[in-house]
Amino acid sequence: MSDHEPSYHPSNPFSKWMDSRLPIMRMMHGQFVDFPTPRNLNYMWTFGGILTFMLVVQIVSGLVLSMHYQPSDAEAFNSVELIRRDVNYGWLLRNIHAVGASMFFFAVYLHMARGIYYGSYKAPREILWILGVIIFLLMMAAGFLGYALVWGQMSFWGVTVITNLFSALPLVGTGITKWLWGGYAVSGVTLNRFFSLHFLLPFVIFGVVILHIWALHVVGQNNPTGLDIKTKSDSVPMLPFAIMKDAFALAMFALVYAWFVFFVPNYLGDADNFIEANPLSTPPHIVPEWYFLPFYAILRSIPSKLGGVLMMFGSIALLAFLPWLDTSNVRSTKYRPIFKWFLWAFFFSVVALGYLGGKPAEGSYVMWSRVFTLYYFAFFLIIMPVVGLLETPRKLPSSIMDAVLGGGGGPTAANAATAAAEKR
Amino acid sequence: MTHTYLKGLACLGVALSLVGAAAAPVLASGGGDAIEPQHWSFGGIRGHFDRPQLQRGFQVYKEVCSTCHGIKRLSFRNLSEKGGPEFPEEGAKGLAETYKVNDGPNDQGKMFKRPGRLSDRIPSPFDNEQQARSANNGALPPDLSLIALARKVEAEHPFYALPYFMAKDIVTGYQEGGSDYLHALLTSYRDAPPAYKMDHGHMVAMTEADAKANPSLPRCASITSEAGADDVCNKMAEGMQYNVAYPGHQIAMPPPLRDGVVKYADGTPGTLENYSRDVTAFLAWAADPKLEERKRLGLMSMLYLLVVAGLLYGAKRRIWSKIPH
Amino acid sequence: MAPEAKTGTALPPIGHGEPTRRDFLTTAALGWAAVGGAISLWPFIQQMNPDASTQALSSTEVDLAPIKEGQAITVLWRGKPVFIRNRTKDEVEKAANVPVGDLPDKGAQNEALADRAPATDQNRTKKGHENWMVVVGICTHLGCIPKGQGLSDQRGEYGGWFCPCHGSTYDTSGRIRKGPAPRNLEVPPYEFVSATKIKIG
């Protein structure tokens, strides 16, 4: 928030000299030390920090893997095996990067679900939210390009299926696919350019993440009540309060991450990707990585190819319009007795689509995919605007502090607590 | 707050195990061709390889499998490296020398053959795919370096029980689907049933009982089936074997193992069951030679992270103790 | 008027008043630079299209003599598999008798013919060589390779090809009959250079 007074006082001559030339320490202090954080944040608010950590992990592990990886159709799969077998700690780096991609998406889905549940996209956080949607899109691109690099059967056929989606576009479709492939089919030429782009994208993501954090620090964090910070008692300084909570959550996340890296590294992958890519043989079931399954289910639920492609991209693009589709004047779903049920049904249908995306497109699976796809779109386009207008929200607490104390505390306790917080 | 979370987690756990318990009998009676999870010494979070077993497994590979299947991602040196069969280095060297390896060109520009060295890859039986296919009736024996990871058991769980089975596999560190499949494949050759019918694009064997109950079913038909006729019965294709564990049940590989084909030096009985287990363990190591290092480092990392998380939790509690939140 | 612009030699204010020759020059210079900038993007976009060595592999000759009736081979053409099947008399007859009105895709998908040519078996083969079916072996749904070339392969209920990815079923003329694929298998440009030899591309 812009209205707080930074308490940065450079103490030694160097920091004073620096402060009058590049006040970066002043900025860091203002943004990450005494930045006011709502006192009532729950653990769902720790995923921002976790995601930043994951981005750094992916960039660092990716960089070192690129020192051993060879982006050619003859050598790509062999070099991955070289990394797994012969490079010192190569197996560890490969697991960190491959499992890391899944963990990154796991965290981002929870981060997004939290944003939707507590109305974090609503004014004045529209730009913050849209930057998040852009990061999500870039992540999906990076995940897809990176999965291709393994050059196993599932990599190769996943690339074939997804790049072929562009051929559905009228007139320019086949030209675009040929341009993407650099040939008449997916080949080593395609792999090489995917490697270049996969290397570039994380840095683009990093840039947009900085904008995302900047926007966050202009408008301040949302919180479970959805109320704005009104008085100083509503917030605590970021250090040590929010930082320590983030650190504990990060350690818990790291425990889960490490479990996958060391004990079930291939659980989230596909056995077919341990077979080298073969352009003349298609695996019986082509399934994307788990984090794409809900969108893959939407794609397949539409009988027309172009329609399926448009619906799939539409389902993600729709997220960017959330701030204007939600007509309620209350942010947090906690105070929305009717919308709450629709929202949980929405979360359920995304999980259901994920399940259906991993099943063959036949029989009742197709029917259910259509049902849940329909609900996905109806939720955003009909339920969200209509329920927002019709619903009477529950009574909001008068302030964040009021919500924290519930009925139990009383003003004296509140003051004492505030005093304690300010003393630090 | 914390208590609500814990209670929620506990409820979820109980619900999941109830669903799992309810679903389990359904599965047991359901699939006739279900592949049973086996006990493997390298399974689970504290798993490690059994050296004598890997050594026996290599013997089975060398004496039986290697006539058709390569294992090109292994070098001779790997056989004596830590975490594997750990043959003495002299033994691995002697073994390498029994192979002839392509090298060259020499000073006259000719390619030549020389005895293998520790640093050489284990040579494959065929030089290329075409040679392998022509020697095997058109079928391609796959390289076995990664086979234990490149195969899986297709478990069909009802959707409501899926979270339970997913959680179970993750928590118990189950990664041996490929090994379970290989063991099942090697021990599941049976006499071919009298008839098949087509079901969703797969050939499904009909049992004797089915055939008796349906005497009108044709005993054979051309492979080409006409529109709408889903139940056309098929003959097994020429040169194919019947295997209940193999998807589609028709496999080109003749039964490779039977009791007594390999003589073990360490006195382990030469049974199909033992051969199959030993060679599967060997292939599991070949696909994942860093398994032991990974699991050992994993345990230490988990311990370290638990301590970090505990300390951070204490610090966080203390900092927030006077702050209502 | 900016305070400095007191004499006639001072800079004229930008964006106000009548367009002058100087404004025109500025616009022209910026416009010219923009055109150059746009043109210089072209090499950066065009480099991603197939390179000369890839384009050079654009035609392939195939000897058909060894393929007996009922057999099929797959050849690579521009990195894509091309299915060549020597169909039996029975299959040719059946394929020719399918009414075009029954087909999901009524277009011949033959590069040698006009876009509107109907998907008759004649329009998908060469006259006098009706037993030879030559199609690009890539499913028109999402680019998988259909099964049906091997004698023991599953060919689907129409006896042609069956795509294992999403269940598209093609007949012996390579026409889509069932499943999600939108179009018939593409007939590549080819010609008979002799009685038993074709040149694809």
Side-chain angles (χ1 to χ4, degrees):
Chain A
M1 307 281 286
S2 41
D3 58 347
H4 73 282
E5 292 290 318
S7 60
Y8 180 65
H9 304 293
S11 50
N12 61 57
F14 174 74
S15 49
K16 281 178 186 152
W17 182 86
M18 191 70 187
D19 198 48
S20 55
R21 284 162 179 79
L22 179 68
I24 187 166
M25 292 311 293
R26 179 177 295 276
M27 187 199 82
M28 298 298 279
H29 192 89
Q31 297 303 315
F32 300 106
V33 175
D34 52 22
F35 186 78
T37 313
R39 61 166 57 224
N40 59 336
L41 297 186
N42 61 32
Y43 277 104
M44 289 305 283
W45 262 266
T46 58
F47 286 101
I50 287 169
L51 284 162
T52 315
F53 168 77
M54 283 315 304
L55 180 60
V56 173
V57 167
Q58 289 302 85
I59 288 179
V60 173
S61 59
L63 179 74
V64 294
L65 285 172
S66 78
M67 295 180 185
H68 305 278
Y69 176 75
Q70 301 187 43
S72 76
D73 58 352
E75 284 306 314
F77 192 82
N78 290 339
S79 66
V80 172
E81 278 308 305
L82 187 89
I83 290 169
R84 286 186 65 238
R85 289 161 189 272
D86 290 334
V87 172
N88 301 319
Y89 291 104
W91 60 269
L92 178 62
L93 299 168
R94 176 253 182 201
N95 288 0
I96 285 175
H97 200 69
V99 174
S102 282
M103 288 292 147
F104 207 155
F105 275 96
F106 174 65
V108 91
Y109 281 127
L110 290 173
H111 191 64
M112 289 164 72
R114 188 270 289 152
I116 294 175
Y117 189 87
Y118 294 110
S120 299
Y121 47 82
K122 290 176 80 77
R125 299 187 178 84
E126 300 95 327
I127 295 293
L128 172 61
W129 174 261
I130 290 171
L131 286 167
V133 174
I134 293 172
I135 294 171
F136 179 52
L137 271 174
L138 289 170
M139 273 177 67
M140 292 177 93
F144 167 68
L145 294 170
Y147 191 60
L149 301 186
V150 182
W151 214 236
Q153 274 288 67
M154 213 44 104
S155 299
F156 182 90
W157 290 99
V159 171
T160 300
V161 168
I162 301 297
T163 49
N164 259 304
L165 294 178
F166 292 97
S167 70
L169 298 173
L171 298 175
V172 291
T174 45
I176 287 183
T177 46
K178 209 160 76 178
W179 180 75
L180 284 172
W181 293 333
Y184 302 97
V186 177
S187 67
V189 179
T190 322
L191 172 65
N192 209 150
R193 60 187 54 179
F194 274 27
F195 177 65
S196 296
L197 294 173
H198 182 71
F199 206 112
L200 167 72
L201 274 188
F203 300 98
V204 178
I205 294 176
F206 197 86
V208 186
V209 164
I210 289 176
L211 295 181
H212 190 66
I213 296 175
W214 184 3
L216 172 71
H217 282 227
V218 170
V219 296
Q221 283 161 296
N222 187 24
N223 64 81
T225 63
L227 299 172
D228 291 325
I229 293 180
K230 287 174 189 147
T231 62
K232 227 173 167 189
S233 67
D234 286 341
S235 70
V236 289
M238 193 164 188
L239 193 82
F241 296 100
I243 298 277
M244 195 48 97
K245 199 165 178 174
D246 277 0
F248 169 61
L250 181 59
M252 293 306 288
F253 186 82
L255 269 169
V256 177
Y257 185 9
W259 185 272
F260 275 91
V261 164
F262 290 108
F263 300 125
V264 276
N266 303 319
Y267 181 80
L268 298 164
D270 197 293
D272 276 323
N273 230 22
F274 280 106
I275 304 170
E276 193 169 357
N278 179 357
L280 295 184
S281 147
T282 320
H285 296 292
I286 298 181
V287 187
E289 287 287 83
W290 68 267
Y291 39 82
F292 292 135
L293 288 175
F295 304 102
Y296 192 59
I298 291 177
L299 167 78
R300 295 192 308 179
S301 69
I302 312 294
S304 130
K305 184 167 161 183
L306 182 60
V309 172
L310 292 177
M311 291 287 266
M312 183 177 74
F313 287 112
S315 66
I316 302 164
L318 208 49
L319 292 171
F321 297 94
L322 269 195
W324 297 278
L325 288 169
D326 186 353
T327 51
S328 171
N329 51 11
V330 172
R331 286 202 189 101
S332 174
T333 303
K334 244 171 120 175
Y335 304 104
R336 303 185 59 186
I338 299 170
F339 181 71
K340 185 193 257 176
W341 295 102
F342 287 109
L343 182 55
W344 280 108
F346 169 74
F347 289 150
F348 177 80
S349 61
V350 173
V351 174
L353 282 171
Y355 170 76
L356 293 164
K359 292 284 166 192
E362 56 187 34
S364 63
Y365 294 132
V366 178
M367 196 269 287
W368 283 111
S369 299
R370 289 186 183 153
V371 169
F372 288 116
T373 300
L374 193 69
Y375 185 74
Y376 184 103
F377 284 93
F379 174 76
F380 287 123
L381 295 173
I382 300 167
I383 294 170
M384 222 175 201
V386 173
V387 173
L389 292 174
L390 300 181
E391 174 187 54
T392 316
R394 280 171 45 205
K395 193 176 169 303
L396 292 177
S398 60
S399 71
I400 293 175
M401 195 59 185
D402 184 39
V404 164
L405 298 172
T412 31
N415 291 344
T418 318
E422 278 160 13
K423 235 164 65 185
R424 301 199 65 99
Chain B
M1 272 316 240
T2 322
H3 287 294
T4 350
Y5 284 129
L6 285 179
K7 247 188 251 167
L9 269 180
C11 289
L12 194 68
V14 170
L16 282 180
S17 19
L18 282 178
V19 168
V26 179
L27 292 173
S29 61
D33 303 331
I35 291 174
E36 292 295 319
Q38 303 292 314
H39 174 77
W40 300 106
S41 72
F42 51 88
I45 60 169
R46 298 198 55 198
H48 52 83
F49 290 111
D50 172 357
R51 311 276 160 236
Q53 183 177 42
L54 291 191
Q55 297 188 355
R56 292 195 303 271
F58 175 71
Q59 190 187 352
V60 175
Y61 165 75
K62 187 171 178 296
E63 291 179 19
V64 181
C65 317
S66 72
T67 48
C68 298
H69 295 274
I71 194 150
K72 64 181 178 188
R73 295 182 197 282
L74 280 191
S75 302
F76 292 107
R77 67 184 159 85
N78 295 131
L79 295 173
S80 60
E81 275 169 7
K82 204 167 173 312
E86 295 184 11
F87 284 109
E89 194 167 304
E90 279 314 303
K93 208 168 169 183
L95 177 79
E97 282 162 5
T98 63
Y99 283 80
K100 290 280 172 279
V101 177
N102 290 319
D103 202 345
N106 62 12
D107 294 345
Q108 284 82 46
K110 297 244 165 59
M111 303 301 283
F112 59 93
K113 286 195 183 274
R114 60 162 174 76
R117 301 176 191 137
L118 278 179
S119 57
D120 286 323
R121 300 287 186 96
I122 298 180
S124 297
F126 304 107
D127 291 337
N128 48 51
E129 180 181 335
Q130 286 76 3
Q131 195 190 26
R133 281 195 190 274
S134 82
N136 287 287
N137 199 17
L140 176 70
D143 186 88
L144 298 183
S145 313
L146 280 167
I147 204 82
L149 288 177
R151 295 291 182 272
K152 62 188 168 197
V153 175
E154 292 277 7
E156 286 294 330
H157 299 304
F159 70 91
Y160 54 86
L162 204 59
Y164 167 77
F165 287 102
M166 285 168 64
K168 189 177 154 209
D169 286 352
I170 293 170
V171 170
T172 56
Y174 176 70
Q175 291 268 278
E176 291 77 42
S179 303
D180 291 340
Y181 169 80
L182 292 180
H183 177 62
L185 182 81
L186 290 171
T187 53
S188 295
Y189 283 90
R190 303 281 185 272
D191 290 333
Y196 296 85
K197 63 177 189 201
M198 296 303 290
D199 180 28
H200 290 87
H202 292 291
M203 288 178 71
V204 176
M206 294 189 48
T207 60
E208 283 290 354
D210 290 337
K212 274 195 190 116
N214 264 317
S216 61
L217 268 176
R219 281 302 165 110
C220 64
S222 80
I223 299 167
T224 316
S225 59
E226 288 305 314
D230 256 358
D231 283 303
V232 170
C233 139
N234 289 268
K235 230 173 19 184
M236 192 121 63
E238 191 85 17
M240 300 294 264
Q241 312 289 325
Y242 182 70
N243 187 311
V244 292
Y246 190 72
H249 303 320
Q250 287 196 80
I251 186 168
M253 175 169 74
L257 299 169
R258 65 197 140 70
D259 290 354
V261 283
V262 178
K263 291 271 176 294
Y264 282 144
D266 64 359
T268 309
T271 60
L272 169 64
E273 177 75 15
N274 283 345
Y275 296 146
S276 166
R277 286 184 165 279
D278 294 349
V279 79
T280 301
F282 169 73
L283 293 175
W285 164 77
D288 198 0
K290 302 289 178 180
L291 180 141
E292 289 189 5
E293 187 183 350
R294 168 161 66 81
K295 293 188 176 181
R296 203 169 51 237
L297 200 57
L299 278 180
M300 292 192 287
S301 304
M302 294 309 289
L303 268 177
Y304 165 77
L305 283 170
L306 274 173
V307 172
V308 170
L311 288 173
L312 284 172
Y313 183 64
K316 184 241 146 204
R317 287 268 306 213
R318 209 181 124 66
I319 287 170
W320 282 86
S321 60
K322 300 234 170 64
I323 313 281
H325 57 280
Chain C
M1 272 275 168
E4 310 90 62
K6 277 177 189 148
T7 65
T9 53
L11 290 169
I14 294 166
H16 291 287
E18 293 292 304
T20 62
R21 183 175 292 181
R22 200 179 291 235
D23 286 343
F24 170 75
L25 275 176
T26 313
T27 313
L30 287 175
W32 194 239
V35 169
I39 291 174
S40 67
L41 276 181
W42 184 242
F44 290 87
I45 295 169
Q46 182 61 17
Q47 55 84 20
M48 279 181 59
N49 269 320
D51 63 32
S53 70
T54 309
Q55 287 177 19
L57 294 171
S58 57
S59 75
T60 307
E61 283 200 3
V62 187
D63 183 14
L64 303 179
I67 311 169
K68 295 190 187 68
E69 189 173 294
Q71 287 186 340
I73 62 161
T74 306
V75 294
L76 270 189
W77 169 66
R78 292 183 178 175
K80 299 189 228 185
V82 171
F83 293 165
I84 302 173
R85 193 188 281 186
N86 188 353
R87 299 183 294 175
T88 61
K89 285 208 177 59
D90 189 36
E91 285 173 337
V92 175
E93 205 171 295
K94 268 194 193 135
N97 289 338
V98 176
V100 175
D102 289 1
L103 299 169
D105 176 19
K106 296 170 183 63
Q109 305 300 347
N110 185 341
E111 286 198 11
L113 298 176
D115 280 355
R116 301 250 181 92
T120 57
D121 197 52
Q122 291 91 314
N123 275 344
R124 293 174 58 79
T125 50
K126 298 284 176 199
K127 202 166 165 51
H129 302 281
E130 278 82 3
N131 56 323
W132 292 105
M133 194 67 229
V134 181
V135 288
V136 175
I138 295 180
C139 181
T140 56
H141 179 227
L142 290 172
C144 302
I145 295 171
K147 302 275 172 205
Q149 289 294 91
L151 283 178
S152 61
D153 277 9
Q154 195 196 340
R155 289 182 167 180
E157 60 191 73
Y158 294 92
W161 290 273
F162 173 80
C163 183
C165 291
H166 303 95
S168 295
T169 310
Y170 298 89
D171 66 13
T172 54
S173 191
R175 293 173 296 199
I176 179 69
R177 302 299 288 274
K178 215 174 102 177
R183 278 173 289 114
N184 299 329
L185 292 180
E186 189 191 324
V187 178
Y190 71 96
E191 57 192 34
F192 278 83
V193 288
S194 73
T196 59
K197 197 173 238 181
I198 58 168
K199 180 173 166 230
I200 308 173

